[in-house]
């Protein structure tokens, strides 16, 4: 199976047709029938950057400006794919050649074409041999092969985190073969493919990186708390710590999800006892969305604490809405701020934002607050709330007018908890204006409510139709499976060519029941494997699985054995 099917083959056919008819470029000279010549023979070398080993670099020169066409063959399977480089140049140096499979010998046929469409093949095929995947590389199993007619073309991309193996950003083709991977020095959060072919991602919590597909950093921005900023990296002035998500915007700006420390605020002392006395002076980690330009200048900044915590007439903040996870006290950046390990000094993880999505159609942002079981839409220009998708319990009176009213079939959703999202991730706006998200379902209860048992719970990809005028919300589509429960992390992607949905159950959580069986768990430390599922997306019809991939072992989780952060489908590696 080709690593770059359909789209690349269509590109190759278009280029070949142009070459045959002499229409390769608008500058073609019909009277020119002399083919170009190689002046310096093509040489294909291993990628000098060891972080991306399944890649090569091609260099050669010709007697005139030419484009390049490669035909690559996997000598073991006979699979073949092609790559075109359309830029006219007499000398091509270090062209990235991607998509090689691990532990294989490959043949690479090189062909050049001039502006008039004259073609010259190189006299012999080049060879390129790759090493095996590294020891400890996660097990990848193709559960459902890609449906050749209904599955979205491209490569499936995912992140692997684990304390027992290295961190990886991995791409596999439609047959489940690894065709590219990046061995990361730090956690690569939310990798986004850019129009120029590069990848934008957060490196751990203090650096934003733009990287080419050979693993070379081409741009870098760092926060004020980066311990040793790399040379040439741009400082994000006034930005302390960013996490979870990065979103490239149409005007070449970048939206980042960041944290801010709120000191000495009134904060609930329990998520189970409603009348428990408040903490009079707590440290709280709140979320901030920061929009930057390419120079690292902060263009907009939105405090979610200011947006979601009302003040009284004297300007004092009210007791904030909380969820079951709002009492987590993660250790990290804020310890350097507070300089204390004393539990009462640690900061509570109030909202735990995990997604920021820009919606160009109405110039707004979607923000996902995992710990509050809430998706908030607000205007980019003013920061004004448009609506809040969340269970209605415990919201302060000032924010209740923004809550969406559910419209649902009680026969389909026996309880309201089965309708709302809980601990959700990855909300995105669909072309029809609906909101698609991954509903982890953790506890399926608001603070002070009764949590669902893991055996009764579920995770899902779910689509919500919002009527902003009536402030109502309903569910036109969802996909869930009894065998896939992921109490934390997950993702959804809408795939543009087919309209399919790619769902990432990225930390399937199980634990042994003492009787030799694995059962669902919603406790930390039992993450077992990742399941990435592509389904059809048609209203009124049951979703059909057209591709399914499993990463990691399916044994009962015994401590963060394998989990990821986001799964995506890129049209190609280039």
């Amino acid at each position: 199976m080709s690593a770059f099917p359909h789209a690349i083959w269509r590109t190759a056919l278009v280029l070949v047709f142009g070459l045959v008819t002499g229409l390769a470029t608008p500058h073609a000279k019909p009277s020119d029938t002399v083919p170009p010549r190689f002046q310096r023979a093509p040489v294909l070398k291993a990628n000098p950057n060891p972080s991306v080993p399944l890649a090569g670099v091609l260099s050669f020169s010709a007697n005139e400006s030419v484009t390049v066409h490669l035909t690559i063959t996997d000598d073991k399977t006979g699979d073949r794919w092609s790559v075109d480089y359309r830029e006219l140049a007499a000398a091509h140096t270090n062209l990235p050649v991607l998509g090689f499979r691990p532990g294989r010998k490959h043949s690479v046929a090189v062909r050049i074409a001039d502006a008039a469409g004259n073609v010259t093949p190189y006299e012999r095929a080049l060879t390129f041999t790759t090493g095996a995947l590294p020891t400890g590389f996660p097990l990848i199993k193709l559960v459902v092969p890609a449906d050749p007619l209904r599955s979205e073309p491209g490569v499936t991309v995912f992140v692997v985190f684990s304390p027992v193996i290295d961190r990886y950003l991995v791409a596999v083709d439609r047959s489940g073969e690894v065709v590219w991977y990046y061995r990361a020095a730090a956690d690569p959060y939310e990798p986004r493919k850019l129009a120029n072919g590069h990848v934008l991602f957060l490196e751990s919590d203090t650096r934003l990186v733009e990287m080419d597909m050979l693993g070379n950093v081409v741009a870098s921005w760092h926060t004020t708390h980066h311990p040793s900023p790399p040379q040439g990296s741009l400082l994000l002035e006034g930005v302390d710590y960013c996490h979870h998500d990065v979103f490239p915007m149409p005007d070449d700006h970048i939206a980042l999800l960041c944290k801010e420390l709120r000191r000495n605020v009134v904060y609930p002392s329990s998520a189970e006892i409603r009348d428990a006395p408040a903490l009079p002076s707590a440290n709280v980690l709140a979320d901030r969305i920061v929009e930057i330009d390419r120079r690292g200048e902060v263009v907009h900044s939105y405090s979610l604490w200011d947006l979601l915590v009302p003040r009284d007439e004297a300007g004092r903040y009210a007791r904030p809405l909380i969820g079951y996870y709002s009492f987590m006290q993660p250790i990290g950046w804020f310890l350097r701020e507070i300089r204390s390990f004393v539990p009462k000094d640690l900061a509570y993880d109030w909202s735990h934002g995990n997604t920021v999505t820009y919606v160009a159609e109405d110039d707004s942002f979607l923000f996902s607050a995992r710990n509050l079981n809430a998706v908030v839409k607000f205007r980019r220009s003013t920061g004004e709330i448009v609506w809040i998708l969340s269970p209605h319990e415990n919201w302060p009176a000032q924010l209740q007018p923004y809550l969406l009213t559910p419209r649902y079939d009680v026969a389909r959703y026996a309880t309201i908890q089965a309708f709302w999202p809980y601990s959700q991730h990855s909300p995105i706006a669909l072309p029809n204006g609906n909101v698609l998200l991954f509903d982890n379902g953790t506890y399926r209860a608001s603070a002070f409510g009764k949590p669902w048992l893991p055996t009764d719970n579920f995770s899902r990809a779910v689509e919500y139709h919002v009527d902003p005028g009536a402030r109502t919300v309903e569910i036109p589509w969802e996909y869930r499976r009894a065998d896939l429960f992921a109490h934390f992390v997950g993702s959804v992607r809408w795939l543009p060519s087919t309209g399919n949905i790619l769902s990432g159950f990225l930390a399937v959580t199980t634990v042994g029941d003492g009787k030799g069986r694995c059962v669902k768990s919603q406790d930390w430390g039992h993450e077992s494997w990742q399941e990435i599922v592509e389904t059809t997306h048609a209203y009124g019809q049951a979703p059909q699985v057209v591709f399914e991939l499993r990463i990691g072992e399916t044994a009962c989780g015994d401590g963060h054995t394998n989990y990821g952060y986001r799964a995506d489908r890129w049209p190609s590696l280039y």
Side-chain angles (χ1 to χ4, degrees):
M1 183 68 68
S2 168
F4 308 105
H6 303 317
I8 292 282
W9 282 114
R10 286 197 297 268
T11 300
L13 289 173
V14 170
L15 181 59
V16 169
F17 177 81
L19 295 176
V20 170
T21 59
L23 298 176
T25 75
H27 305 293
K29 301 176 182 179
S31 60
D32 180 3
T33 60
V34 179
R37 301 190 312 274
F38 288 96
Q39 288 191 326
R40 180 164 52 88
V43 176
L44 180 58
K45 296 182 178 180
N47 180 18
N49 190 331
S51 66
V52 180
L54 299 183
V57 291
L58 177 70
S59 300
F60 69 91
S61 63
N63 67 323
E64 60 178 308
S65 293
V66 295
T67 59
V68 187
H69 176 88
L70 303 182
T71 301
I72 304 172
T73 304
D74 181 331
D75 289 357
K76 178 179 178 181
T77 65
D79 290 346
R80 181 175 297 176
W81 61 96
S82 62
V83 182
D84 293 302
Y85 304 87
R86 295 174 174 271
E87 182 180 355
L88 281 164
H92 288 270
T93 304
N94 292 336
L95 288 178
V97 185
L98 311 172
F100 295 114
R101 284 101 178 258
R104 306 279 177 82
K105 180 183 177 183
H106 304 78
S107 299
V108 181
V110 182
R111 193 172 74 224
I112 58 176
D114 62 18
N118 300 302
V119 177
T120 299
Y122 187 58
E123 60 189 24
R124 59 180 176 80
L126 309 179
T127 60
F128 191 87
T129 303
T130 56
L133 293 173
T135 302
F137 197 85
L139 177 68
I140 299 173
K141 179 181 179 181
L142 185 65
V143 179
V144 177
D147 186 311
L149 299 179
R150 297 190 295 169
S151 180
E152 182 88 1
V155 292
T156 302
V157 181
F158 54 91
V159 176
V160 178
F161 296 150
S162 173
V164 297
I165 63 173
D166 289 330
R167 308 166 180 91
Y168 294 103
L169 175 59
V170 182
V172 302
D173 66 10
R174 290 159 65 86
S175 63
E177 286 266 17
V178 175
V179 293
W180 182 91
Y181 70 88
Y182 166 62
R183 198 169 193 163
D187 292 342
Y189 277 99
E190 194 56 85
R192 302 274 190 178
K193 199 77 157 72
L194 301 177
N196 62 7
H198 296 167
V199 185
L200 185 72
F201 60 91
L202 282 170
E203 184 184 79
S204 192
D205 56 11
T206 57
R207 188 183 179 206
L208 174 66
V209 172
E210 181 181 342
M211 180 186 79
D212 68 21
M213 291 298 288
L214 294 175
N216 304 309
V217 174
V218 296
S220 171
W221 302 261
H222 63 277
T223 72
T224 58
H225 281 80
H226 196 289
S228 55
Q231 186 175 2
S233 183
L234 299 175
L235 173 65
L236 301 177
E237 191 69 47
V239 179
D240 299 317
Y241 165 64
C242 295
H243 62 102
H244 280 84
D245 204 3
V246 51
F247 196 95
M249 301 173 64
D251 52 8
D252 215 22
H253 289 185
I254 301 169
L256 294 166
L257 192 54
C258 303
K259 285 290 188 187
E260 62 176 353
L261 180 63
R262 294 284 177 152
R263 297 177 183 270
N264 304 318
V265 299
V266 176
Y267 199 73
S269 64
S270 173
E272 300 174 278
I273 304 173
R274 186 181 299 275
D275 298 328
L279 302 171
S281 181
N283 295 317
V284 174
L285 280 177
D287 285 293
R288 183 159 70 110
I289 293 173
V290 175
E291 181 184 336
I292 65 169
D293 61 20
R294 299 286 299 189
R295 299 170 300 174
E297 300 290 333
V298 175
V299 179
H300 292 112
S301 179
Y302 311 90
S303 167
L304 278 302
W305 179 268
D306 287 338
L307 197 67
L308 298 179
V309 182
R311 301 191 197 199
D312 62 20
E313 294 180 355
R316 294 176 299 229
Y317 288 105
R319 186 188 301 197
L321 169 84
I322 60 166
Y324 269 102
Y325 278 126
S326 295
F327 291 92
M328 294 174 61
Q329 292 181 310
I331 56 175
W333 152 72
F334 59 87
L335 286 180
R336 297 193 290 272
E337 282 285 290
I338 299 173
R339 302 180 186 279
S340 172
F341 284 90
V342 178
K344 71 178 182 65
D345 292 339
L346 296 183
Y348 295 102
D349 191 8
W350 167 60
S351 52
H352 195 94
N354 56 32
T355 309
V356 55
T357 300
Y358 176 66
V359 184
E361 287 71 19
D362 60 1
D363 195 32
S364 65
F365 286 108
L366 294 176
F367 165 70
S368 171
R370 177 188 184 272
N371 286 0
L372 305 182
N373 307 316
V375 175
V376 181
K377 183 173 185 175
F378 65 92
R379 303 189 193 284
R380 179 192 182 198
S381 57
T382 63
E384 176 189 6
I385 296 175
V386 178
W387 48 251
I388 300 173
L389 172 64
S390 175
H392 288 197
E393 295 91 348
N394 308 319
W395 281 92
Q398 297 94 322
L399 296 176
Q400 288 179 10
Y402 299 106
L403 294 172
L404 298 171
T405 300
R407 296 176 57 186
Y408 65 100
D409 182 355
V410 293
R412 183 180 178 191
Y413 301 102
T415 67
I416 190 63
Q417 289 90 347
F419 179 88
W420 295 120
Y422 292 85
S423 296
Q424 72 291 321
H425 286 74
S426 191
I428 58 175
L430 297 180
N432 63 5
N434 290 355
V435 175
L436 180 73
L437 59 83
F438 187 85
D439 171 20
N440 295 81
T442 312
Y443 295 141
R444 216 158 275 285
S446 301
F448 318 117
K450 182 179 180 181
W452 281 27
L453 294 173
T455 51
D456 300 327
N457 214 340
F458 59 88
S459 300
R460 61 182 169 177
V462 58
E463 179 180 348
Y464 290 96
H465 170 70
V466 175
D467 183 334
R471 292 201 187 278
T472 59
V473 60
E474 55 189 312
I475 296 177
W477 183 91
E478 67 174 25
Y479 174 72
R480 58 166 133 160
R481 292 234 305 259
D483 61 326
L484 297 177
F485 177 63
H487 86 102
F488 91 113
V489 299
S491 66
V492 288
R493 290 289 187 267
W494 177 79
L495 304 178
S497 296
T498 58
N500 292 345
I501 304 299
L502 190 71
S503 304
F505 298 79
L506 302 179
V508 179
T509 42
T510 58
V511 65
D513 67 349
K515 300 177 181 179
R517 297 175 299 181
C518 290
V519 296
K520 291 186 286 188
S521 170
Q522 49 195 7
D523 294 328
W524 298 97
H526 300 300
E527 293 67 53
S528 300
W529 77 92
Q530 304 181 49
E531 201 90 2
I532 299 172
V533 186
E534 181 186 355
T535 61
T536 56
H537 176 238
Y539 302 126
Q541 300 178 25
Q544 301 295 309
V545 176
V546 295
F547 174 82
E548 185 169 344
L549 195 70
R550 182 172 299 150
I551 302 102
E553 301 282 354
T554 57
C556 294
D558 57 358
H560 287 290
T561 54
N562 188 301
Y563 67 102
Y565 196 79
R566 304 294 196 261
D568 207 347
R569 179 72 50 80
W570 294 350
S572 81
L573 291 174
Y574 290 89

